[in-house]
Amino acid sequence: MTSFKSEFLNIMHERGFYNQCTNEQGFDEYLAECEKKGTPAVGYLGSDPTGDSLHVGHIVPLMMLRWFQKCGHKPLTLVGGATARIGDPSGKDKLRPFLDETTLQHNVQGLKKSFMKFLKFGEGKTDALMVDNYDWFKNINYLEFLRDIGTCYSVNRMLTMDSVKSRLEREQPMSFLEFNYMLLQGYDFCVLLQKYGCRAQIAGADQWGNIVSGTELGRRRYDTELFGFTSPIITDSAGKKMGKSEGNAVWINEDKLPSYNYFQYFRNIGDAEVGKCLRIFTDLPMDEVRRLEALQDKEINEAKKILAYEATKICRGEEEAKAALETATKTFEKGAIGDDLPTANGSKSGVGVLDAFLALGFVASKGEARRLIKQAGLKLNDKVITDENYIITEKDQIEGNIKLSQGKKKHGLLILK
């Protein structure tokens, strides 16, 4: 087993967070020295406010930053109020849509809400701090930026970066605006170095090129070694990126996704992903993780319940996690109606069965609902639906409830008003 001097890197390696590091030995020695002296290292994670919530796909580097703080270091969360106006070309085929000022500010507040679920913010020496790169870009002098920063970058080198190279290979147009993104992110890193003594950037593997642009700028412009550390892109056994459920993002913020749905996402993880998810999405000690991931057959369901509970507790709080677990237990194990099942409203005059499932979000279209009915995949009050034209009315209520189910794992309530 690989052994590092620093507590942080040992945790990252053991729990499966480690993908790449710009200088593993140097970063390890820097962190170990900080940990020995009790002086926090400073590291940052950046997110562009293109939406008003992060989702499960963003949690991996966010959990890395959470462990960074637990190891006695100081996390910075950077929201790209400036870079969101340009767009990161990584993995994209076209220019990102421009957002108006009101939307950007709304999204920034949403991202802060997401960050606060995983990190402790405050005035303490290891408390997290949120910064916005628009603060230093809004009044920047373009000629000075070109002279001081642009001269440190080689276009030849930039063209070899995956974010640029893959776009050009696909013969997708890239604007000069997007081509600048690498310079801006590199400059962010150096501003955080100057303002906060930040020497580490934590991010997903897809940000490697942008991270390296910052570490190289730090060396050339400020004669300082900066460190980049990335996590792997987490996929399921089918090779699909985790974080999507039936094509929909599994949002962190509760106003975007009920806690029960968040719980169920982890409860329904494939058997092969349980160990990986316990390591990454929970704070459980590794001895407990190893015990749970060794469970087989029906016992693996107990591990999934613990995974779902622990992941929900971090993101939504203990009370929400308990409520979600209780609802799942009632619904799946006791055959009752759980209190926190997703709901949809309908008219007392009647609701078409296709419309009902569409309203609950269990299907993406009426066509999908029809296909599921033909496959005996949809149920009304635990009875298989055979008529796609069936109208649900008050006569279908059982003790005031109308339960709709898709397969064995998705349940919801239709409320007639």
Side-chain angles (χ1 to χ4, degrees), residues 43-48 54 58-66 75-80 115 119 129-131 192 198 200-204 207 229:
Y44 92 97
L45 168 66
S47 298
D48 285 346
L54 298 177
H58 298 117
I59 290 182
V60 183
L62 189 49
M63 284 296 291
M64 292 166 72
L65 207 61
R66 179 181 173 90
L76 302 179
T77 58
L78 180 143
V79 292
F115 287 134
L119 303 169
L129 180 68
M130 192 169 97
V131 295
L192 296 179
C198 177
Q201 182 178 357
I202 291 170
Q207 290 298 308
F229 185 83

Side-chain angles (χ1 to χ4, degrees), residues 212-237:
V212 170
S213 80
T215 59
E216 290 182 354
L217 180 60
R219 177 175 54 81
R220 291 173 180 160
R221 187 79 178 85
Y222 301 101
D223 195 28
T224 301
E225 182 171 21
L226 303 178
F227 302 101
F229 185 83
T230 64
S231 64
I233 301 299
I234 305 300
T235 59
D236 60 22
S237 54

Side-chain angles (χ1 to χ4, degrees), residues 232-248:
I233 301 299
I234 305 300
T235 59
D236 60 22
S237 54
K240 295 180 180 178
K241 282 186 184 181
M242 293 187 65
K244 298 292 182 70
S245 178
E246 302 297 328
N248 299 311

Side-chain angles (χ1 to χ4, degrees), residues 92 262 348:
K92 306 294 190 302
Y262 189 88
K348 284 187 176 181

Side-chain angles (χ1 to χ4, degrees), residues 81-102:
T83 39
R85 290 166 165 83
I86 291 180
D88 182 358
S90 302
K92 306 294 190 302
D93 287 332
K94 57 186 178 182
L95 183 66
R96 178 187 287 168
F98 293 111
L99 301 176
D100 60 67
E101 198 65 35
T102 301

Side-chain angles (χ1 to χ4, degrees), residues 243-283:
K244 298 292 182 70
S245 178
E246 302 297 328
N248 299 311
V250 181
W251 299 106
I252 289 175
N253 293 358
E254 57 270 14
D255 54 342
K256 303 275 287 185
L257 185 76
S259 295
Y260 175 77
N261 296 54
Y262 189 88
F263 178 97
Q264 282 300 112
Y265 171 75
F266 287 100
R267 175 64 182 82
N268 294 331
I269 288 291
D271 291 0
E273 280 72 63
V274 172
K276 180 196 305 181
C277 289
L278 283 165
R279 291 165 187 262
I280 287 174
F281 295 104
T282 80
D283 291 333

